[in-house]
Amino acid sequence: MAKHNAANARIKREYFNYLKEAQRRDEGSIDTVAKALARFEEANGHKDFKNFHRAQAVAFKHKLDKQPAVRTGKPLSRATVNSTLSALRAFFVWLAGQPGYKSRLSYADADYFNLAEKDVRIAKAARHKAFPSLEQVHHVIAAMPTGTAIELRNRALVAFALLTGARDGALASFRLKHVDLVQGRVDQDARDVRTKASKTFTTWFFPVGGEALPIVRDWHQYLRGTLLWGDDDPLFPPTQIGLGENGGFAPVGLRRGECWQSAGPIRDIFRKAFEAAGLPYFNPHSLRDTLVQLGEQVCTTPEQFKAWSQNLGHERVMTTLTSYGTVAPHRQAELIRGMGAAKGADAGIAAEVDPALVAKVLAAMQSLPGKG
């Protein structure tokens, strides 16, 4: 069986360039498309795309249903199957309009990659994501050691993630010039910082309490005042590897002048910190859910929650509510039971939500900048 098709490789390169230059897709999303195409080609014996037939799409869907995931050995999730088939459908729709393929392919053939409606609903269903409570994150920070510069960096990293809700890619690429401790903010400048979708925005430190802010201040002063580092030096420098006392390679300090090339080391720091504190691992991104939960508790007006949402880099409040604002099941139970108890305690007070009040709140939210 052939393991490579030169014609397919050429047209795939054109498609990837189309996604990058015309559709403005980033490298990560293009890699996902490439994996979907590779999976299809392998299952289809690397046949020329010009010979594509709808039966191949149907057969591939059946193969996906039986294919186990590499990491778990369990059947592929509906979300993975749906994203794979969606990428393939988009590719063959594009391919049907390309010279040399127009006469061979039909746009309708690409529809055979569609997943059954019930499976699409399963794939897109919102599920509760586990995330740490604010108290748990404070506990982790308090339990982290501080005996070396590397340990001080690790503790300041977790504290800064809680203060800002910054994604791990941004945490890996912040430099000292991006932090303004007087104003209490960090500038997520996409020219230097690896932000999502290369978006530039300012984050003001969230009012999380505890020792997070003092820890970040002390770390900033250590870099500026003790090590005498400048604006372009990394806020969280990589670990310098050198010869240890036993003659082998070992961490010997901090590496100046360059940022981490990936977020892998940051996730490792979080994993070790949570495990050392006796808690399950929560990745850096989960702290954004922690902050959204805090915002739902402290924000009392639509304008305040809009500011909270904008502080996370969201242009629309609904992004915050739908992607991060799901109420945890145990809290959902507490709220529902509490409503029933309140109604039973005072039957004279209407427990129903006033539709007019809801309409006013929604109208106020929609009138704010970045509505939707």
Side-chain angles (χ1 to χ4, degrees):
M1 182 180 293
K3 294 186 178 181
H4 178 74
N5 186 302
N8 287 358
R10 284 193 296 270
I11 197 65
K12 284 193 298 183
R13 283 196 298 270
E14 289 186 30
Y15 184 59
F16 298 154
N17 187 60
Y18 165 77
L19 291 179
K20 179 180 179 180
E21 302 298 341
Q23 296 297 310
R24 301 181 295 180
R25 303 277 285 276
D26 60 29
E27 294 297 331
S29 62
I30 295 174
D31 285 344
T32 300
V33 174
K35 290 176 182 177
L37 285 168
R39 179 173 275 170
F40 173 74
E41 282 193 281
E42 183 178 357
N44 200 40
H46 293 271
K47 295 177 181 176
D48 196 312
F49 290 145
K50 289 182 179 179
N51 298 323
F52 173 74
H53 187 273
R54 63 187 62 173
Q56 295 173 5
V58 175
F60 180 66
K61 286 195 290 187
H62 292 324
K63 287 185 178 181
L64 282 183
D65 286 337
K66 300 176 182 178
Q67 187 173 352
V70 175
R71 287 189 300 174
T72 65
K74 298 179 180 179
L76 294 173
S77 69
R78 291 295 88 184
T80 299
V81 172
N82 185 55
S83 63
T84 299
L85 294 175
S86 296
L88 290 170
R89 181 187 181 278
F91 169 72
F92 279 99
V93 167
W94 173 84
L95 191 62
Q98 303 308 303
Y101 293 85
K102 290 181 180 180
S103 61
R104 309 290 295 270
L105 302 179
S106 166
Y107 288 107
D109 287 342
D111 290 336
Y112 282 80
F113 281 110
N114 286 333
L115 199 60
E117 287 187 0
K118 66 180 183 64
D119 289 327
V120 173
R121 287 193 292 270
I122 293 173
K124 295 184 177 181
R127 294 172 177 83
H128 174 67
K129 296 180 294 181
F131 60 89
S133 68
L134 182 61
E135 292 73 21
Q136 286 177 320
V137 182
H138 282 310
H139 170 67
V140 169
I141 294 172
M144 295 182 74
T146 58
T148 66
I150 292 175
E151 291 173 341
L152 288 172
R153 177 204 63 192
N154 295 350
R155 185 180 66 154
L157 172 67
V158 178
F160 194 77
L162 180 62
L163 273 177
T164 64
R167 291 178 169 85
D168 52 15
L171 291 170
S173 52
F174 281 132
R175 298 182 184 274
L176 285 170
K177 65 183 178 182
H178 298 125
V179 180
D180 185 341
L181 287 178
V182 176
Q183 295 291 328
R185 77 182 194 205
V186 57
D187 295 322
Q188 304 207 36
D189 190 336
R191 292 175 298 180
D192 308 300
V193 181
R194 295 195 291 273
T195 61
K196 183 177 181 179
S198 299
K199 184 188 302 181
T200 294
F201 60 98
T202 297
T203 294
W204 305 85
F205 295 162
F206 286 99
V208 296
E211 294 299 311
L213 182 54
I215 287 171
V216 169
R217 283 176 174 162
D218 289 345
W219 174 246
H220 190 272
Q221 176 58 31
Y222 174 75
L223 294 177
R224 290 281 198 180
T226 303
L227 300 185
L228 302 179
W229 285 14
D231 284 350
D232 289 323
D233 286 313
L235 179 62
F236 301 110
T239 302
Q240 180 69 44
I241 301 298
L243 291 178
E245 295 180 356
N246 61 358
F249 290 110
V252 296
L254 304 174
R255 190 162 73 244
R256 183 178 184 179
E258 60 181 286
C259 295
W260 271 306
Q261 296 303 306
S262 73
I266 291 179
R267 291 191 287 270
D268 288 339
I269 290 170
F270 267 71
R271 181 179 291 105
K272 293 175 182 177
F274 275 86
E275 290 176 353
L279 295 172
Y281 167 59
F282 291 103
N283 61 36
H285 196 275
S286 67
L287 268 60
R288 293 172 65 81
D289 294 272
T290 304
L291 290 169
V292 170
Q293 183 184 66
L294 177 62
E296 291 170 342
Q297 296 168 358
V298 303
C299 296
T300 58
T301 67
E303 185 180 34
Q304 287 179 347
F305 196 76
K306 170 60 181 176
W308 198 276
S309 171
Q310 193 168 298
N311 216 39
L312 287 165
H314 294 158
E315 296 179 359
R316 299 174 177 82
V317 172
M318 290 307 297
T319 301
T320 310
L321 291 173
T322 57
S323 298
Y324 297 88
T326 303
V327 178
H330 73 277
R331 179 58 179 157
Q332 178 181 344
E334 291 174 0
L335 291 171
I336 297 299
R337 290 166 182 163
M339 293 175 195
K343 183 174 182 179
D346 189 353
I349 299 177
E352 292 81 6
V353 176
D354 182 356
L357 177 60
V358 173
K360 288 181 180 179
V361 172
L362 290 175
M365 293 177 67
Q366 290 296 323
S367 67
L368 295 170
K371 63 183 181 180

